[in-house]
């Protein structure tokens, strides 16, 4: 939800060899995830139109998308936020402020667990 963070994370992921797709709100993120079928999604919780919990829940309830790992990436740092994220199906929770290396480790770990194919898409929001 913060353009400067989206730009910074996107550039860092591209440097690491990832193809990056960007969505500016939850509805666009959901549509891109459904159309592009990325290998992993980075999803903020505080998004316009559909929040991150809603997007995560919709994707995880649909068998076509439920295997796509989702990293919730947010400034919401309370335990209840992480619990709600895991309940809606998220695979990891990274709090802002964050260390880039921590985010990269989560991404690699989830991709390794979900597929043996090279990453083809990451959708930060």
């Amino acid at each position: 939800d913060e353009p400067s963070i989206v730009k910074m994370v996107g550039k860092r992921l591209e440097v690491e060899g990832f193809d990056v797709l960007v969505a500016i709100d939850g509805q666009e993120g959901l549509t891109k995830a459904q159309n592009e079928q990325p290998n992993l999604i980075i999803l903020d919780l505080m998004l316009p139109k559909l929040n991150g919990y809603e997007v995560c829940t919709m994707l995880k309830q649909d068998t076509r998308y439920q295997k796509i790992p989702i990293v919730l990436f947010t400034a919401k740092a309370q335990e209840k936020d992480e619990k709600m994220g895991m309940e809606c199906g998220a695979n990891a929770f990274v709090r802002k402020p964050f260390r880039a290396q921590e985010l990269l480790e989560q991404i690699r770990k989830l991709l390794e667990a979900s597929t043996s194919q090279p990453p083809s898409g990451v959708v930060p929001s």
Side-chain angles (χ1 to χ4, degrees):
D1 70 337
E2 298 174 50
S4 61
I5 292 178
V6 171
K7 187 175 182 178
M8 179 192 61
V9 169
K11 288 217 180 278
R12 176 65 189 263
L13 292 171
E14 287 172 346
V15 165
E16 295 291 328
F18 294 96
D19 293 327
V20 177
L21 303 170
V22 176
I24 59 169
D25 61 55
Q27 183 60 57
E28 183 183 1
L30 179 63
T31 300
K32 281 189 176 184
Q34 292 167 332
N35 292 337
E36 302 292 333
Q37 299 242 342
N39 290 347
L40 183 131
I41 297 169
I42 300 171
L43 185 61
D44 200 313
L45 290 178
M46 298 179 285
L47 295 170
K49 297 188 181 176
L50 293 173
N51 69 42
Y53 296 124
E54 293 168 319
V55 175
C56 185
T57 298
M58 288 178 201
L59 289 170
K60 292 298 184 170
Q61 288 178 348
D62 189 323
T63 57
R64 294 172 293 178
Y65 314 110
Q66 64 188 197
K67 292 189 180 198
I68 300 172
I70 296 176
V71 177
L72 293 180
F73 184 59
T74 183
K76 295 186 115 188
Q78 295 183 3
E79 266 187 53
K80 70 176 184 161
D81 299 312
E82 183 171 357
K83 183 179 180 201
M84 285 175 57
M86 295 302 127
E87 287 173 357
C88 75
N91 302 87
F93 196 92
V94 175
R95 289 176 178 86
K96 298 176 198 173
F98 68 102
R99 289 183 7 258
Q101 193 58 38
E102 174 190 6
L103 181 60
L104 286 168
E105 287 170 9
Q106 284 289 347
I107 290 168
R108 288 188 177 112
K109 178 180 161 186
L110 291 170
L111 287 173
E112 187 176 300
S114 70
T115 181
S116 59
Q117 299 174 17
S120 66
V122 179
V123 181
S125 316

